[in-house]
Amino acid sequence: MDTSPTALFDSYEQDFQQFIEAIRVKLEGDAKEERGEQQQRSATLRQVEMELDEADEMVSQMDIEIQGIPQSVRAQYHTRLRAAKADLARYKKLAADVRGQLARSDLLSTASQPGNYPASDDPYGPSSDRTRLLAGTSILEDGTKRLQQSQRIALETEDQGAEILSNLRQQREQIENSRNTLYGADLAIDRASGTLKKMVRRMYQQRAVTAGIIIVLVLLIAVITWEKLS
């Protein structure tokens, strides 16, 4: 298992590219085909929207994982992240355009039918109000998704911030403990230095006393020898 700092980012990017490729095929194929059946195009568009949500989730995960990538290589991963965001925004816009075309096509097909009156399950009828309602609903859904995504990112950021603060608190405690240890070691060194100085003074004193005793003995021996010889 790859445990490098960029492994998760690469994995999320690969999943994102798979979703984008599937979205591209659908948007440039069935969903955009004017001759396709209305229900089939609607079903394809719903699949595209779900895959866009998944791709959006992958981009969010990439945005989180990039924070743990080393600074030496983070720039190129920022470039890849910006490219992924640009692709996601482009296909979101394309999906919105296809959704608008589908709504207009639905309105035109309804208006072209004879006796065009609102049905019991279609209370808005083929009017511009319905178009505005569909557009407003789409904008509201996009806003809700963005709000949910922002809330999720905010919660994840808050968790990361709390973890960072906890790590900083632990590091501060370790630094304080190390400082206290060094202070205690400094005191112990001072006491040891004082003890060594006392020992050195005593050693010199003992040497002086020993030298004095030796000198006295030599003098006594010399006096005794002189007396005997004289």
Side-chain angles (χ1 to χ4, degrees):
M1 181 178 180
D2 191 357
T3 58
S4 63
T6 62
L8 285 176
F9 184 96
D10 295 334
S11 176
Y12 288 131
E13 185 182 30
Q14 184 178 3
D15 294 340
F16 171 80
Q17 294 297 337
Q18 292 177 355
F19 283 120
I20 286 296
E21 179 62 21
I23 292 168
R24 184 190 66 80
V25 171
K26 290 183 177 66
L27 288 179
E28 295 179 357
D30 296 338
K32 200 173 182 180
E33 181 61 44
E34 294 292 341
R35 296 185 299 272
E37 294 183 1
Q38 196 78 359
Q39 293 181 352
Q40 181 180 356
R41 293 172 61 196
S42 298
T44 302
L45 188 58
R46 285 193 294 271
Q47 293 178 359
V48 167
E49 290 175 347
M50 289 188 292
E51 289 172 346
L52 281 172
D53 290 339
E54 294 292 338
D56 200 348
E57 176 66 21
M58 294 300 102
V59 169
S60 299
Q61 294 298 328
M62 290 163 63
D63 203 358
I64 294 172
E65 292 300 327
I66 203 172
Q67 304 302 323
I69 295 177
Q71 291 285 350
S72 58
V73 296
R74 188 179 296 181
Q76 60 181 348
Y77 283 88
H78 270 298
T79 301
R80 290 161 61 177
L81 179 60
R82 286 194 296 269
K85 289 182 178 180
D87 289 340
L88 181 62
R90 180 161 60 89
Y91 281 105
K92 279 185 175 181
K93 184 178 182 300
L94 182 58
D97 293 340
V98 173
R99 189 186 303 113
Q101 293 175 4
L102 185 62
R104 288 193 295 272
S105 176
D106 188 21
L107 289 175
L108 291 175
S109 63
T110 305
S112 63
Q113 296 177 0
N116 184 19
Y117 297 100
S120 59
D121 57 346
D122 188 14
Y124 297 99
S127 64
S128 59
D129 291 340
R130 180 177 180 181
T131 304
R132 288 195 295 270
L133 178 62
L134 291 174
T137 303
S138 175
I139 294 174
L140 181 61
E141 291 176 353
D142 291 340
T144 302
K145 291 177 183 178
R146 291 193 184 96
L147 181 60
Q148 292 175 349
Q149 178 184 355
S150 300
Q151 185 179 6
R152 185 183 67 254
I153 293 175
L155 291 175
E156 292 173 352
T157 304
E158 183 179 357
D159 293 338
Q160 290 180 351
E163 183 178 357
I164 291 173
L165 288 176
S166 177
N167 292 334
L168 290 175
R169 190 179 299 109
Q170 293 177 359
Q171 292 176 4
R172 179 181 177 183
E173 292 176 355
Q174 291 175 356
I175 292 173
E176 290 179 350
N177 292 334
S178 300
R179 184 179 61 185
N180 294 333
T181 302
L182 289 175
Y183 181 72
D186 190 24
L187 292 177
I189 291 173
D190 288 340
R191 287 196 296 269
S193 178
T195 303
L196 288 175
K197 289 179 180 179
K198 291 179 181 179
M199 292 174 65
V200 169
R201 284 198 299 270
R202 289 178 181 176
M203 180 185 68
Y204 284 136
Q205 290 173 357
Q206 290 176 356
R207 285 184 178 180
V209 171
T210 302
I213 293 173
I214 292 173
I215 291 172
V216 171
L217 291 175
V218 169
L219 290 175
L220 289 174
I221 292 172
V223 170
I224 294 172
T225 303
W226 173 259
E227 289 180 351
K228 288 183 178 182
L229 291 175
S230 60

